[in-house]
Amino acid sequence: MSSSSFRPRPLLSSDEVLHRLRTGFPAAEVERAMTAAGVEVLGLRVPRAQAGVVWEEWRARHDETGWWPYVTLGSPTDMADGRGELGWDADVLEWVGEAVAQDHDARAASVLVSACRWAVEEVANVDDDLDLWRSDYDPDRLAPLLAPAVERPLPGASRWATGTEDFFEKDWRWVHLVAARGGYEVPVLLPFVYTTWNWSGYGDRGLTPLDASALLRRWHEQWGAELFFATGPYLELVVDRPPLDPRGAAQAAAELHAYCHDTVQDPVKTGDTMARATMWSLWWD
């Protein structure tokens, strides 16, 4: 079976989606672009304060359209043209097939192990408390350090997509739509949707779009996390069912710490706060 057979087939054509966008938002700018790998990106430009509402509307329609929405800064043309210098477009079809077939839990666990080994063996010096280092990555060690279970998810707020203080000094956002089975496929369809360049793992391990896809799919299945905002080194996930108990929050915090140490520098604090909240905001500095 060719890898192209794994490409998701949307329920609605791009022309139909564009028609719905133009009908629903007659005064808004609507755009379509195609990446070198043949991935179509549709986009709608909306005021920043409206982006979350539009994203939620099209997320709710995903089952009837097959197009996944995410909020970003640039237009579809910007996304199609901003591929960087790694030549990843040639790998997109292969990656989509592998992302569908891979054991995403095992791959996500390998990111955790690699980050832990890097921290313990390459960063920590002989005077450090290695047990403390290991507890950052071991949910069984981390869980007893966390606060008791909470009854309901903590409210989360977007820092970059729709926040009242605009980090990027732009009053507008684009809502992109990509034919995908879920938000977890977007990193392999659009390898530069966000970047994690400064991540370090054990040995020569670096992160690839397949790692991002595995983690996003795992978090989607475990806690209802959904791709919401992505641009440059910034990522936000809406989380429908965040873990409320210490063990689940420890698992989430350890994985978030391994994936984005720049943001999650204190897994205990994260396990008591962001891991149990409805929005996860990550930033690779």
Side-chain angles (χ1 to χ4, degrees), residues 16 23 32 34 36 46 74 107-108 121 150 206 208 211 214 217 245:
E16 176 62 24
T23 300
R32 165 168 39 191
M34 184 87 71
V46 297
R107 192 175 191 105
E121 298 182 27
V150 296
T208 72
D211 295 315
R217 185 172 180 182
D245 63 291

Side-chain angles (χ1 to χ4, degrees), residues 7 34-40:
R7 281 283 298 275
M34 184 87 71
T35 71
V39 177
E40 216 168 6

Side-chain angles (χ1 to χ4, degrees), residues 219-278:
W219 296 342
H220 165 74
E221 293 178 355
Q222 291 287 315
W223 301 300
E226 304 284 18
L227 177 66
F228 173 52
F229 177 79
T231 192
Y234 302 94
L235 173 70
E236 288 191 324
L237 306 174
V238 168
V239 189
D240 294 331
R241 307 181 309 276
L244 306 182
D245 63 291
R247 181 57 178 76
Q251 185 71 48
E255 294 179 10
L256 287 165
H257 177 62
Y259 188 47
C260 188
H261 179 269
D262 292 316
T263 298
V264 184
Q265 298 182 4
D266 185 344
V268 173
K269 180 180 179 180
T270 297
D272 288 339
T273 55
M274 185 172 74
R276 306 190 199 200
T278 56

Side-chain angles (χ1 to χ4, degrees), residues 38-59:
V39 177
E40 216 168 6
V41 184
L42 313 180
L44 173 73
R45 187 172 180 261
V46 297
R48 182 178 73 247
Q50 192 179 358
V53 175
V54 175
W55 177 85
E56 192 62 66
E57 176 185 348
W58 282 89
R59 174 173 78 142

Side-chain angles (χ1 to χ4, degrees), residues 162-185:
T162 59
T164 55
E165 295 183 9
D166 186 15
F167 186 83
F168 303 102
E169 298 182 351
K170 291 186 177 183
D171 293 330
W172 298 85
R173 294 288 184 267
W174 282 87
V175 179
H176 288 184
L177 295 159
V178 182
R181 297 174 183 86
Y184 54 84
E185 282 194 341

Side-chain angles (χ1 to χ4, degrees), residues 76-110:
T77 298
D78 294 333
M79 170 54 64
D81 291 343
R83 296 186 300 272
E85 303 298 331
L86 294 185
W88 277 357
D89 279 313
D91 301 319
V92 166
L93 292 181
E94 179 181 347
W95 278 344
V96 172
E98 190 171 343
V100 172
Q102 72 178 343
D103 184 335
H104 52 279
D105 285 326
R107 192 175 191 105
S110 76

